[in-house]
Amino acid sequence: MPQRWKPNVTVAAVIERQGRFLLVEEHTAEGLRLNTPAGHLDPGESLPAACRREVLEETAYDFEPTALVGIYLHRTAPDAPQDITYLRFCFCGTLGAHHAAQPLDQGIVRALWLSPQEIRASRALHRSALVLQSIDDYLAGQRGALDLLHAHVHHHHLEGGGQ
């Protein structure tokens, strides 16, 4: 039986403050790249909780997701070393406190605030096309309610009430 294909589920945040957007500069296999704060969904974690955690780990800012900007299916380039598909849930929300003393996640060089013009000018350094697309979707006013997301935990119940 062939192995079932499963995409990698990721979360990302588009965070605006005074017309500038919070990005991270990170080490990748292709060198230094710019990305929105983003990362993988961990087992047992809700999508908003994963987004909160990733923003804190990568930028040292508290963040509370308030809306869904978009859901994106992204496949690596056909000539990439690995054929990987990502299913990314991108949120916007409320920026909280900055924890300046907190070290950033491994591979993150720094967090920086860039204008939309600076982001467009640095397109060649983006981790993927989703960086600009999610920011453009945010600027276009694209928002989905968080109550569109549901998480169900399946519990196995054994006959006779056993554990």
Side-chain angles (χ1 to χ4, degrees):
M1 175 186 237
Q3 185 173 354
R4 185 176 192 131
W5 170 83
K6 294 182 182 180
N8 289 278
V9 178
T10 62
V11 295
V14 173
I15 302 170
E16 180 188 15
R17 183 179 71 185
Q18 300 173 344
R20 298 176 83 75
F21 291 89
L22 183 59
L23 297 184
V24 295
E25 186 177 42
E26 59 186 341
H27 290 288
T28 73
E30 293 79 34
L32 283 179
R33 293 289 183 255
L34 294 172
N35 199 5
T36 52
H40 290 267
L41 177 68
D42 284 347
E45 198 172 37
S46 72
L47 292 161
C51 190
R52 273 187 224 99
R53 176 183 53 75
E54 287 293 346
V55 170
L56 183 61
E57 289 174 356
E58 293 192 355
T59 70
Y61 278 96
D62 290 329
F63 177 72
E64 185 58 40
T66 58
L68 189 61
V69 173
I71 302 169
Y72 307 92
L73 191 64
H74 177 76
R75 186 175 172 190
T76 56
D79 59 345
Q82 291 182 305
D83 184 12
I84 302 173
T85 300
Y86 295 95
L87 181 60
R88 176 181 271 199
F89 293 80
C90 184
F91 297 89
C92 62
T94 305
L95 187 67
H98 184 238
H99 307 278
Q102 177 177 314
L104 301 180
D105 216 0
Q106 183 177 351
I108 303 295
V109 176
R110 63 185 173 141
L112 62 162
W113 292 94
L114 297 175
S115 70
Q117 298 78 14
E118 291 168 322
I119 294 168
R120 284 184 183 81
S122 64
R123 192 178 316 209
L125 295 175
H126 293 181
R127 179 103 188 234
S128 78
L130 297 182
V131 174
L132 186 56
Q133 183 178 1
S134 59
I135 290 170
D136 282 343
D137 289 346
Y138 171 85
L139 289 169
Q142 191 166 290
R143 308 286 188 279
L146 291 184
D147 61 6
L148 292 171
L149 303 172
H150 301 279
H152 297 278
V153 179
H154 183 75
H155 296 283
H156 292 282
H157 297 285
L158 301 177
E159 294 288 328
Q163 294 288 332

